[in-house]
Each structure stands twice: as structure tokens, then as C-alpha cells.
């Protein structure tokens, strides 16, 4: 475990080599990036086995970095169950996406002279997330956090010659920066209060209850603001759908294992802080359930396949935050894991469709693709059913845990909303499945063929995991008592998985009902869908326009921010620069001009002045006498 720091190091080395020397390497060095991902995944396993061998717990391996006065900063690592789960997810998904990219980018960017740069940033992206996961102190965590944001900007805008991609990259960067300001202030408050960056020391101080309550509360809310930005929580979710302008493998990595799960991980890592601040935990739950509905509602009317999956990610991130707000770290991280596997598969399947259809993403121009792309269709179907909560697929188990957590830890209103959200999630997934893969194959799509092996291979592996990874919830023997005992709750110690019959039946019934209703509507009754859309045209228009939030933000920028900025710029130019700074200089110059008139250079003038001066002095002396 003490060698876990090697896992991100491979990606950092690959980035450095590719960034500097990719022009001298065969295929611009893309296979070096793949080897780095493979090495990271292979190194993960000894770390896992070492923890199991020593006994599951929290292991801290400190290292000194630098000191500043009385403040000592390290760059050590924490290896605990939370770290191990994240290491496994990030390294596996990064490897799968790298393999997939070999074929996908050959078709979509083979002639791009920057293809080596794509793989370089890809390596740094995964490495940055791994640094964030392993960090034992808030400064190192913040370095990884900001590097993740930088890499997302570079990869979303990889095809920056497209105006939409350039705008999407800027939108993601700026929106997440708003949250990051809160995160930075929250970190500073904690460091000032506790005199250290060390996460363990800070959490112990919070748990002791001796810290300033106002500082702890303010820090909890400010740090959650950073998590809201990264994990696309309402109202800072607007960047995520536009991030689809990047290459599809990047979307899979962002949505499954890096950027968007960083916020959920941050709250989980600092969970004792939120346990100590009940109001912040309630706020997390409230933001989470609102985000669930916003994402699901927008997915229901979206017609772009990748954006549907993006809104699905927004919704499921809301599920994770809701679980954290309910006090169940286990349910949140277990859902993060199951969702990450399924969502990586869904995005790679979407990329497979785009590969076969020359970049087409409009689901209205699809249909019947299962006849031409059986592997892709099977993988997408598995992912959709899993995220809908159909047993025994992966996300069924984690959603059941979320239901139990919300039923036992929050107000019944949250439970009612969660049950409605489960049905809505299944409904939009059924719509997508029906319109994309079933029905009649159009004449223009008859030429569509299944994607090559490097693309469908990762889909097959992810599909197998989607079917089987849910068993991690159960005791498997050999000392393993299930995910609840391995990834224990911060509240109440280990929490073994419980198959609550009532909530399992209710959740499964709602999921099946949502799928059945969606299939019936979009397969047999499109006329009813059209009638509802007409009758509720106002609501439909609001959803199509994304709740007008993008328009509201743009109006705020144009009419408030830019106008205030222009007013401040005018004040700065006229009052500060021209008045205070330039005005002082002008006063000095004008005074000099006036004073220089007595300097004539004529001796008689100076003599006259001297005589006059002597006369004035004599007069004054006479008057005084």
C-alpha cells in the first residue's frame, strides 16, 4: 500500500514524455499512454491485496513536502476502502477508454497532428484524479482537483476549431471555477482554524467538537459549493451537457471515473465534517434530490443521444449526493461504482453508434440499430436496465441501498420524491432504448455496421461487470462480508447490506413500471406522447430550453456582469487613472509651467528682484523696530 503513489506516477510520466517528445515517437506515442493506464491498473491489485492481507482499515503513509513558518505540508497518501474503490474504478475505466480510443480516434482524428496531445492529456487526466483520491492533505487534494479541471478543459475543447467545442470548454472551466472559489475559501478557513492541511488531523479536530462552530459550518458549505461545481449539481449543472462536444471517449472518462465524481468523493472524504454540521448535510440531500429531478426531466425531452446520457449522469450524481445527505457513505460510493461501470459502457456504446453513423447523435434519425449493431445494442440495453434499477444488474443493488438510507435517515418527503425519480429514470431510459435500437431500420441506416473489436471489446467487458459487480453487496466468503462492511458507513460503523424486501419490491415495481410505461408510450402510443406534448406545450418548451437557465446565466452575464464591469472600467479609467493618477501628474506639470515664468535668464531681472527683496526685508525690519 505504501507504493500506491506509483499508480498516478505512470500517467504523469506518460504525459511529460508525450507533451515534449510525441513528434519523435511512432504513432505520436499513443501506445505509451495505453501502457501507463495498464501499469496503473496492474499496480492497483497489489494495493488491494495488501489491504485485505493486513486487515481492512485506514492506512496513512505521510511524507514531508515543505514548511512555511509553523505550517508543515506533506505529500503523503491515504489508503483506505474509499481510496481502493476509487483507484479500481479510475484505473479500470481509464484503461478501457484508452483501448477504445485506439480505434475511435483512428476514425475520427487519425489525421489530426495533435492526436499525441490527446493521449498525453488523457494520461494526465487519470493521473490527476488518482492524486486527488490518494492525497492525505487538502493542499495536495486541491492540486489534483485543479488539474482535473484543467484536463477537462483541454479535452472538451480538443477540437477547438469547432466553435461549439471551444465554447463548451470555456463554459465547463468557468462554471466549475465558481464552485472552486468556495472550495478554496473553505480550505483556507479549515487550515487557519486547525493549523494544518492534514485531512486526518482536521477531521479529528472536527469530531472532537472543540473547533469554532461558525468556521466549521462555513467551511462545510463552502467546500460543498466546490463539490456542486465538479459534480454538476443544480444550479451548477449547466456545463455538463455541453461538455459532450469533446471526443466521446473523453465523455466516458469524465462521466464515469474522473471529473464529475470528484465532488462526490470530496464530500465522502470529508464526511466527518458534514456529520458534524447537520444543516450542511440536509442541504446536500436537498440539492441532490432537486438535481435528480432536473437531470431526469431534461433527459426525457432531449433528442441528442450524448446529451441524454449527460443528463442521466446529472440525475445519478444527484442520487449519490442524496445518499450522502441521508448519512450513508456506503450507498453513495457503491452507486458511484455501479453507475461508473454502466455509464462508461453507455457512453462507449454511444460512441460506437456515432462511429457507425458518421457522427450522428440525433435519436430521431436512428431506430432498429440492434439489427446492425447487436453487441452495441446489448451493451446499451444492459446499461440502461442497470441504471433503471432492474435486478440483478449492478445499479439495482446500490439504488436499493439508497432507498434504505433515505427511508431511515431523511424526512418522508425525500423518500416520496426518490420513488418518483426512480420511475422517471426508467421512463427516459425506455424512451432512449426504443427510439435508438428498436422499431424499423430506416433505409439510410441500412449501411450501418458493428464497430471493430477494439471498440466492442471494452463494451463486452463492461457489460459483464454490469451484470456481475452487484454481488459485491453480498458476503462472498474469505473474510469479505460485503460492500457495507468493506466500505463502511461513517455513521454507525460497518453497515452490512440488507435486502429490505419492502423497498426492493417497491423500487423494482417502480423501475419496471417506468420502463413498461415508456416502452408502451414510444412504441405503441406515439400519438398520446404528441397529445401530451401539445397539451403541456409550455412545460415542454421550458424543458427543451433547459429551464431557461442557460439563457438566464447569459442574460446575467450580458446585462449585469458586463454592464457592471463596464461601469467599473469607466470609473477606473476616468476617476482612478485620469483623475487620481494622471490628475496628480497634470497638477505638478501645470504648477511647474506657472512657476518657470520667473526664470528669464536676464541679469537685470534678477538684480531688480534682489533689490526689491532687500527693500522688503528693510521695510519689515523698520516696521518691527
Amino acid at each position: 500500500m505504501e507504493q500506491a503513489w506509483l499508480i498516478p506516477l505512470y500517467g504523469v510520466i506518460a504525459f511529460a514524455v508525450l507533451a515534449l517528445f510525441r513528434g519523435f515517437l511512432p504513432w505520436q506515442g499513443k501506445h505509451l499512454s495505453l501502457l501507463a493506464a495498464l501499469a496503473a491498473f496492474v499496480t492497483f491489485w497489489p494495493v488491494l491485496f495488501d489491504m485485505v492481507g493486513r486487515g481492512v482499515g485506514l492506512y496513512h503513509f505521510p511524507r514531508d513536502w515543505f514548511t512555511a513558518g509553523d505550517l508543515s505540508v506533506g505529500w503523503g497518501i491515504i489508503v483506505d476502502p474509499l481510496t481502493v474503490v476509487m483507484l479500481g474504478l479510475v484505473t479500470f475505466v481509464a484503461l478501457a477508454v484508452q483501448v477504445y480510443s485506439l480505434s475511435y480516434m483512428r476514425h475520427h482524428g487519425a489525421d489530426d497532428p495533435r492526436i499525441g496531445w490527446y493521449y498525453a492529456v488523457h494520461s494526465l487526466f487519470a493521473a490527476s484524479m488518482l492524486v486527488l483520491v490518494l492525497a492525505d492533505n487538502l493542499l495536495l487534494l486541491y492540486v489534483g482537483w485543479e488539474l482535473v479541471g484543467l484536463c477537462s478543459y483541454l479535452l472538451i475543447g480538443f477540437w477547438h476549431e469547432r466553435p461549439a467545442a471551444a465554447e463548451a470548454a470555456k463554459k465547463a472551466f468557468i462554471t466549475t471555477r465558481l464552485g472552486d472559489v468556495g472550495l478554496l475559501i473553505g480550505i483556507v478557513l479549515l487550515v487557519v482554524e486547525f493549523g494544518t492541511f492534514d485531512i486526518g488531523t482536521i477531521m479529528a479536530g472536527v469530531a472532537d467538537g472543540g473547533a469554532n462552530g461558525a468556521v466549521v459550518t462555513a467551511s462545510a458549505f463552502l467546500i460543498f459549493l466546490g463539490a456542486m461545481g465538479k459534480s454538476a449539481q443544480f444550479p451548477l449543472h449547466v456545463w455538463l451537457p455541453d461538455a459532450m462536444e469533446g471526443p466521446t471517449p473523453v465523455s466516458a472518462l469524465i462521466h464515469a471515473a474522473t471529473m464529475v465524481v470528484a465532488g462526490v468523493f470530496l464530500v465522502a472524504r470529508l464526511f466527518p465534517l458534514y456529520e458534524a454540521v447537520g444543516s450542511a448535510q440536509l442541504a446536500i440531500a436537498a440539492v441532490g434530490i432537486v438535481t435528480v429531478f432536473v437531470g431526469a426531466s431534461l433527459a426525457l425531452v432531449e433528442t441528442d443521444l450524448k446529451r441524454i446520457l449527460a443528463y442521466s449522469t446529472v440525475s445519478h450524481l444527484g442520487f449519490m449526493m442524496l445518499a450522502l445527505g441521508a448519512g450513508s457513505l456506503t450507498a453513495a460510493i457503491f452507486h458511484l461504482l455501479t453507475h461508473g461501470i454502466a455509464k462508461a459502457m453507455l457512453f462507449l456504446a454511444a460512441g460506437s453508434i456515432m462511429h457507425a453513423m458518421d457522427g450522428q447523435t440525433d435519436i430521431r434519425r436512428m431506430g432498429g440499430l440492434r439489427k446492425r449493431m447487436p453487441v452495441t445494442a446489448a451493451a446499451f440495453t444492459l446499461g440502461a436496465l442497470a441504471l433503471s434499477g432492474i435486478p440483478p444488474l449492478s445499479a439495482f443493488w446500490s439504488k436499493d441501498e439508497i432507498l434504505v438510507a433515505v427511508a431511515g435517515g431523511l424526512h418522508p418527503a425525500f423518500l416520496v420524491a426518490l420513488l418518483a425519480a426512480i420511475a422517471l429514470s426508467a421512463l427516459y431510459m425506455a424512451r432512449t432504448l426504443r427510439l435508438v435500437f428498436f422499431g424499423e431500420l430506416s433505409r439510410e441506416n441500412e449501411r450501418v455496421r458493428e464497430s471493430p473489436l477494439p471498440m466492442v471489446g471494452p463494451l463486452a467487458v463492461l457489460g459483464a461487470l454490469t451484470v456481475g459487480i452487484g454481488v459485491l453487496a453480498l458476503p462472498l466468503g474469505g473474510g469479505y462480508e460485503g460492500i457495507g462492511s468493506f466500505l463502511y458507513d461513517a455513521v454507525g460503523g460497518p453497515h452490512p447490506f440488507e435486502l429490505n424486501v419492502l423497498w426492493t419490491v417497491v423500487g423494482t415495481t417502480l423501475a419496471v413500471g417506468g420502463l413498461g410505461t415508456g416502452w408502451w408510450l414510444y412504441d405503441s402510443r406515439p400519438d398520446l406522447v404528441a397529445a401530451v406534448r401539445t397539451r403541456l406545450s409550455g412545460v415542454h418548451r421550458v424543458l427543451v430550453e433547459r429551464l431557461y437557465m442557460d439563457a438566464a446565466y447569459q442574460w446575467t452575464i450580458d446585462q449585469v456582469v458586463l454592464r457592471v464591469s463596464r461601469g467599473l472600467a469607466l470609473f477606473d479609467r476616468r476617476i482612478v487613472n485620469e483623475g487620481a493618477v494622471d490628475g496628480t501628474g497634470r497638477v505638478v506639470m501645470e504648477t511647474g509651467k506657472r512657476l518657470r515664468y520667473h526664470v528669464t535668464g536676464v541679469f537685470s531681472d534678477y538684480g531688480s528682484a534682489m533689490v526689491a527683496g532687500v527693500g522688503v526685508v528693510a521695510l519689515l525690519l523698520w516696521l518691527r523696530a
Side-chain angles (χ1 to χ4, degrees), residues 71 137-139 141 182-207 211-224 266 269-274 276-277:
L71 186 64
N137 67 85
L138 292 175
L139 182 59
L141 184 148
L183 172 62
L184 180 59
I185 297 173
I187 289 175
V188 170
L189 289 176
L190 288 178
V191 172
V192 171
E193 177 67 20
F194 294 99
T196 180
F197 280 98
D198 184 74
I199 293 174
T201 304
I202 292 175
M203 293 302 101
V206 169
N212 186 309
V215 171
V216 171
T217 300
S219 298
F221 278 96
L222 288 166
I223 290 173
F224 177 58
L266 177 65
R269 175 61 81 204
L270 304 182
F271 200 76
L273 174 64
Y274 293 97
V277 183

Side-chain angles (χ1 to χ4, degrees), residues 123-368:
S123 294
L124 183 61
F125 200 5
S128 301
M129 186 65 192
L130 293 167
V131 168
L132 191 160
V133 166
L134 287 165
D136 73 336
N137 67 85
L138 292 175
L139 182 59
L140 188 59
L141 184 148
Y142 190 73
V143 170
W145 183 275
E146 291 301 328
L147 282 174
V148 165
L150 172 63
C151 292
S152 69
Y153 168 77
L154 295 172
L155 288 172
I156 293 169
F158 178 71
W159 288 316
H160 55 77
E161 61 275 7
R162 303 177 184 176
E167 290 299 318
K170 289 188 290 185
K171 186 175 183 178
F173 192 80
I174 293 171
T175 304
T176 55
R177 288 293 76 67
L178 295 176
D180 290 355
V181 171
L183 172 62
L184 180 59
I185 297 173
I187 289 175
V188 170
L189 289 176
L190 288 178
V191 172
V192 171
E193 177 67 20
F194 294 99
T196 180
F197 280 98
D198 184 74
I199 293 174
T201 304
I202 292 175
M203 293 302 101
V206 169
D208 288 344
N212 186 309
V215 171
V216 171
T217 300
S219 298
F221 278 96
L222 288 166
I223 290 173
F224 177 58
L225 185 62
M228 287 175 62
K230 276 288 193 293
S231 288
Q233 297 296 287
F234 180 87
L236 298 180
H237 67 284
V238 293
W239 67 269
L240 192 55
D242 289 353
M244 298 304 96
E245 294 295 336
T248 299
V250 172
S251 302
L253 190 60
I254 288 176
H255 287 251
T258 54
M259 178 86 162
V260 298
V261 299
V264 176
F265 170 81
L266 177 65
V267 175
R269 175 61 81 204
L270 304 182
F271 200 76
L273 174 64
Y274 293 97
E275 182 187 4
V277 183
S279 57
Q281 200 167 20
L282 181 61
I284 292 173
V287 169
I289 195 63
V290 171
T291 304
V292 168
F293 273 100
V294 168
S297 301
L298 297 180
L300 190 59
V301 300
E302 183 59 65
T303 57
D304 184 285
L305 179 59
K306 288 180 67 177
R307 287 180 182 269
I308 291 173
L309 298 181
Y311 283 124
S312 171
T313 300
V314 170
S315 185
H316 282 275
L317 289 167
F319 280 119
M320 298 171 208
M321 288 297 186
L322 177 62
L324 289 169
S328 180
L329 183 148
T330 292
I333 300 303
F334 190 28
H335 194 62
L336 184 153
L337 176 63
T338 59
H339 169 267
I341 298 296
K343 189 53 62 71
M345 182 169 62
L346 287 170
F347 267 106
L348 296 185
S352 178
I353 295 169
M354 294 173 62
H355 174 84
M357 298 184 66
D358 296 326
Q360 181 60 253
T361 59
D362 191 336
I363 62 174
R364 295 170 296 185
R365 300 186 62 181
M366 299 177 188

Side-chain angles (χ1 to χ4, degrees), residues 19 32 65 67 114-115 128 207 222 284 357 390 398 426 429 441 469 471 479 504 540 558:
L32 180 61
W65 189 2
T67 57
R114 300 164 299 165
I115 194 67
S128 301
L222 288 166
I284 292 173
M357 298 184 66
I390 301 300
S398 55
M429 278 301 183
L441 185 69
I469 201 171
V471 300
T504 297
H540 182 262
D558 293 339

